[in-house]
Amino acid sequence: MPNSERRSARRLIMKVPLRFRPMQEPGDPEWEAATMNICNYGVYFATDHRLPRGEMIQVHLKMPREVVGDDVAEWCFTGRVAHVEPLGAKNDKLGVGVAVHLL
């Protein structure tokens, strides 16, 4: 998706708890994190778990009404790690952007 399209979605800065796990190994554990911003097309969250760019992950979260316009119990989606960047002075956390993978 070109940068102009990627940024056309309305992003909401909000903290929403989520769980994620890499898709590569079925037995991989789930990790917990919280979104920093969120939109219909993806999420950006902070984690101390290293995720390589391009990796497919499964994400579970309660999508806020402000994003989808309706109450949703929980969303589960597959997404591709689009970008990873260090956060903070010690680089102990990573900012991870995940694009929703549409079939």
Side-chain angles (χ1 to χ4, degrees), residues 64-97:
R65 169 175 247 160
E66 296 88 346
V67 176
V68 294
D70 202 1
D71 288 329
V72 177
E74 184 174 78
W75 267 27
C76 176
F77 64 87
T78 301
R80 180 184 56 81
V81 175
H83 58 93
V84 179
E85 57 195 18
L87 296 176
K90 294 182 181 180
N91 294 335
D92 55 345
K93 291 271 188 191
L94 298 170
V96 178

Side-chain angles (χ1 to χ4, degrees), residues 3-100:
N3 285 344
S4 61
E5 288 180 37
R6 183 176 65 196
R7 295 294 179 197
S8 66
R10 187 174 131 226
R11 295 181 184 279
L12 298 172
I13 297 172
M14 58 176 42
K15 188 175 182 178
V16 176
L18 64 83
R19 299 181 328 272
F20 69 92
R21 70 172 185 82
M23 297 291 294
Q24 213 129 23
E25 295 291 327
D28 280 351
E30 284 189 336
W31 296 82
E32 293 183 355
T35 63
M36 295 171 68
N37 71 51
I38 191 168
C39 74
N40 293 22
Y41 303 109
V43 296
Y44 182 73
F45 60 90
T47 181
D48 54 5
H49 183 70
R50 302 245 175 237
L51 291 167
R53 188 171 182 253
E55 181 164 24
M56 297 299 288
I57 65 171
Q58 186 176 61
V59 179
H60 293 266
L61 75 145
K62 183 174 180 185
M63 192 62 84
R65 169 175 247 160
E66 296 88 346
V67 176
V68 294
D70 202 1
D71 288 329
V72 177
E74 184 174 78
W75 267 27
C76 176
F77 64 87
T78 301
R80 180 184 56 81
V81 175
H83 58 93
V84 179
E85 57 195 18
L87 296 176
K90 294 182 181 180
N91 294 335
D92 55 345
K93 291 271 188 191
L94 298 170
V96 178
V98 177
V100 173

